[in-house]
Amino acid sequence: MTESESATVDLEIIVQGAQEGKKLELRLWLRMLSTTKLISQEIRRRLRNEFGATLPQFDLMAQLYREREGLRLGELSKRTMVTNGNVTGLVERLETDGLVLRVTPDGDRRVTVAKLTAKGETLFSAMATAHEGWLRDMMADVDPEIVNELWRDIGLVKSSVSNHLSGADFD
Amino acid sequence: MTESESATVDLEIIVQGAQEGKKLELRLWLRMLSTTKLISQEIRRRLRNEFGATLPQFDLMAQLYREREGLRLGELSKRTMVTNGNVTGLVERLETDGLVLRVTPDGDRRVTVAKLTAKGETLFSAMATAHEGWLRDMMADVDPEIVNELWRDIGLVKSSVSNHLSGADFD
DNA sequence: GCCAAACCTTTGACATTTCAAATATCGCTC
DNA sequence: GAGCGATATTTGAAATGTCAAAGGTTTGGC
């Protein structure tokens, strides 16, 4: 029935020779990537089954939920880490579904501001509650202390990566 | 250098109220996700600029590089965590580029086996070397001890998640 | 006021992604 | 040896994703 046959897949197979103390970073990366994919797929499946929504839509609405006055599309693009062109279509579809509203402010006609509708706020609120529970469940076997450490240490990775990007990625 | 002001996008904004000891799992997830996106985008950019390849193509070739005799498409699908239908198109394009070969074994005509060509092996070998270096560079500021810990602890997360999937997904 | 540079969004071409349904083949039972 | 269920891949529709180029708008220098 499910399309994915058996899913404890292992992207990490690529490495295999890394246990000798070399390629630690590659090994970590592959495990991060496969774990993230696993969690994403689970969340996507549940969002779809229980709310008929997609993960990118959820991500976008999450940003708008925090900014009730709405956000410019460029700002949405930065916060969701999605390209401008992509945001255009995403917002378009959400507007069709009546979850998001698009407005052009008087001051600057280059700008489009997206904003959650009442319907959008209601839906997102429900999804967010469920979403948080799913994550708690999925990570139930992990000691909260470890969760905390991971949060802190992944922050170190994020900082390091941010400081070693090739493309000009600055504000 | 904290990532807060300089360009490092922040999916984590969704949380904000989590620092009080609640929603630890959500907070971790958002940081994992944003970090993974950041690294993925950097790798994608470099693969594109330096090799004219895409990340999914690289992932797929990585699996084939480890199995010189080739892999069935279903097996490729599992290992790359990509759906069957997706693998079809991916392999199709790689074959067009002369990097991969498709063969139907005599024994079972339902099956398609994909295999790297000599050209594919040469290209992947170069990409893999570069790829490993990129990761080492990006994580250069992180203590190797921490990298090791992260690898181990993310393994705990992965296990926990695997044991709490809704779809029947076991090996 | 004018114009060039900068800014914001959209568009278009293409690749990737999922899901569900369709195809094709194999294995087994009778 | 006909057919049924299981297996393996492909196909098709819709959404997401990147990138580059094109469209409007605004701004600043003159």
Side-chain angles (χ1 to χ4, degrees), chain B residues 90-159:
Chain B
L90 234 21
V91 168
E92 218 165 65
R93 265 165 250 125
L94 286 170
E95 192 175 38
T96 301
D97 293 346
L99 300 170
V100 156
L101 213 66
R102 254 186 308 192
V103 184
T104 298
D106 292 342
D108 190 338
R109 290 221 298 280
R110 292 172 299 182
V111 171
T112 301
V113 170
K115 191 178 169 312
L116 279 187
T117 61
K119 182 179 170 190
E121 286 186 359
T122 302
L123 175 60
F124 177 77
S125 181
M127 290 194 296
T129 302
H131 179 256
E132 190 205 322
W134 298 337
L135 284 162
R136 218 189 339 262
D137 291 347
M138 283 190 266
M139 299 190 185
D141 301 348
V142 185
D143 186 323
E145 194 57 44
I146 302 248
V147 172
N148 228 8
E149 275 177 34
L150 278 169
W151 177 77
R152 186 192 61 218
D153 291 345
I154 292 178
L156 299 177
V157 173
K158 193 175 176 181
S159 290

Side-chain angles (χ1 to χ4, degrees), chain A residues 76-95:
Chain A
L76 261 178
S77 169
K78 276 184 217 159
R79 298 203 190 183
T80 55
M81 296 177 83
V82 149
T83 52
N84 279 336
N86 199 357
V87 167
T88 296
L90 232 22
V91 169
E92 217 165 64
R93 265 166 250 125
L94 286 170
E95 192 174 38

Side-chain angles (χ1 to χ4, degrees), chain A residues 2 24 29 31 57 61 67 77 80 82 91 98 105 128 136 147 149 151 153 155 158 169 171:
Chain A
T2 52
L24 288 183
W29 166 238
R31 181 163 279 186
Q57 285 170 357
M61 291 175 74
E67 306 280 351
S77 169
T80 55
V82 149
V91 169
R136 217 186 344 259
V147 172
E149 274 178 36
W151 177 77
D153 290 345
K158 192 174 176 181
D169 247 273
D171 275 336

